């Protein structure tokens, strides 16, 4: 896929995280997105899993705010700033930055959806994940097979991190983050 697919998906991510629709994203938007996901899972922000997800989302926000040179608690990112930081610091370099920035969020999502407690996501848990973040028009079983790189019938955190990056660079058509 082309860079335009990557730019389009990054812009869609910005638009999704601009929860209040004011054309910029700030700490409150990222916190609201974490809260929305927790509510979809029937989880509270006070639970251990809820705190982990909220902290992971706010950790991503802190990274973006730092790279933009804005106040983490009072600043906001424009679409141009967000897209530049996402491209330069997260998606480039073979995904090294991506894993570091996104992995805590994926780990927290796994903790939310992993009802059998094995640290991985099975097909039923994966469908719950997609439903909770509002993914439509995707056959969960087909998407699961595309992401299950080692074919073991489970999705590890690393497979999911790889899949999120593959989506954002246009190699996979399964969005996995709310």
């Amino acid at each position: 896929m082309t860079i335009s697919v990557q730019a389009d998906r990054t812009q869609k991510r910005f638009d999704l995280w601009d929860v209040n629709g004011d054309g910029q994203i700030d700490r409150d938007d990222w916190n609201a997105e974490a809260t929305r996901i927790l509510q979809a899972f029937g989880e509270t922000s006070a639970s251990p899993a809820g705190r982990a997800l909220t902290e992971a989302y706010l950790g991503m926000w802190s990274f973006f705010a730092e790279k933009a040179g804005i106040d983490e608690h009072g600043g906001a990112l424009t679409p141009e700033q967000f897209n530049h930081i996402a491209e330069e610091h997260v998606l480039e370099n073979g995904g090294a930055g991506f894993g570091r920035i996104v992995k805590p969020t994926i780990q927290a999502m796994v903790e939310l959806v992993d009802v059998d407690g094995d640290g991985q996501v099975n097909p039923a848990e994966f469908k719950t994940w997609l439903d909770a973040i509002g993914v439509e028009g995707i056959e969960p079983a087909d998407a699961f097979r595309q992401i299950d790189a080692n074919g073991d019938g489970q999705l590890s955190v690393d497979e999911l991190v790889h899949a999120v990056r593959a989506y954002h660079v246009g190699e996979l058509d399964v969005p996995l983050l709310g």
Side-chain angles (χ1 to χ4, degrees), residues 114 116 118-127 140-141 143-156 159-160:
D114 181 22
D116 63 11
D118 66 356
Q120 298 194 78
V121 177
N122 66 38
E125 293 165 341
F126 183 70
K127 181 178 181 332
F144 187 95
R145 281 190 293 279
Q146 290 178 52
I147 296 167
D148 186 12
N150 63 9
D152 69 353
Q154 299 281 348
L155 301 179
S156 68
E159 284 173 314
L160 289 160

Side-chain angles (χ1 to χ4, degrees), residues 2 9 19 27 30-31 33 54-55 57 59 64 89 93-94 97 100 105 117 139 143 155 159-160 169-171 173:
T2 65
R9 289 183 176 177
V19 175
R27 189 176 201 280
W30 290 58
N31 192 54
E33 181 60 13
T54 301
E55 288 172 10
Y57 265 86
F64 274 83
H89 296 285
N93 304 320
R100 188 178 80 251
T105 306
E139 174 54 46
L155 301 179
E159 284 173 314
L160 289 160
V169 299
E171 298 170 357
D173 289 327

Side-chain angles (χ1 to χ4, degrees), residues 29-110:
D29 287 316
W30 290 58
N31 192 54
E33 181 60 13
T35 300
R36 183 194 68 75
I37 292 169
L38 290 173
Q39 289 172 345
F41 278 110
E43 194 72 48
T44 70
S45 59
S47 73
R51 281 192 306 274
L53 184 76
T54 301
E55 288 172 10
Y57 265 86
L58 293 180
M60 283 193 295
W61 162 248
S62 295
F63 173 84
F64 274 83
E66 178 186 327
K67 292 298 180 191
I70 61 173
D71 177 27
E72 179 180 339
H73 295 282
L77 290 170
T78 65
E80 294 78 19
Q81 288 171 309
F82 178 81
N83 292 338
H84 173 75
I85 293 165
E87 182 179 320
E88 185 174 314
H89 296 285
V90 181
L91 296 172
E92 296 301 320
N93 304 320
F98 192 86
R100 188 178 80 251
I101 302 309
V102 175
K103 190 171 186 172
T105 306
I106 299 299
Q107 181 66 53
M109 292 284 287
V110 169

Side-chain angles (χ1 to χ4, degrees), residues 1-10 87 91-92 165-173:
M1 298 231 172
T2 65
I3 290 295
S4 64
V5 170
Q6 179 176 315
D8 179 59
R9 289 183 176 177
T10 302
E87 182 179 320
L91 296 172
E92 296 301 320
R165 182 176 184 279
Y167 170 78
H168 280 92
V169 299
E171 298 170 357
L172 182 70
D173 289 327

